[in-house]
Amino acid sequence: MEFLALFSFLFIYIGIPLTIIFFLKQINEIKENSELHSEQNKQIIQLLKQLRDSN
């Protein structure tokens, strides 16, 4: 019975916050990658416009 109480305590007070932190970290990485891709797309568009204008 004590083991069950300890397991519940560890799950609620350690496991759930660690899971939330993990998901927040993943969301932040996705956001950073999205911003990077957006900047790269802008640069590609600019280069394509330069190519179009030079012809």
Side-chain angles (χ1 to χ4, degrees), residues 4-5 30 35 46 50 55:
L4 184 60
I30 291 169
E35 291 172 352
Q46 183 181 10
Q50 288 176 353
N55 289 331

Side-chain angles (χ1 to χ4, degrees), residues 35-49:
E35 291 172 352
L36 177 64
H37 285 277
S38 177
E39 186 61 35
Q40 288 174 344
N41 287 339
K42 288 178 184 177
Q43 291 174 352
I44 290 170
I45 291 170
Q46 183 181 10
L47 290 172
L48 288 172
K49 286 180 180 179

Side-chain angles (χ1 to χ4, degrees), residues 25-41:
K25 185 176 178 184
Q26 293 296 321
I27 290 169
N28 188 39
E29 288 180 15
I30 291 169
K31 178 180 170 264
E32 289 175 358
N33 284 338
S34 176
E35 291 172 352
L36 177 64
H37 285 277
S38 177
E39 186 61 35
Q40 288 174 344
N41 287 339

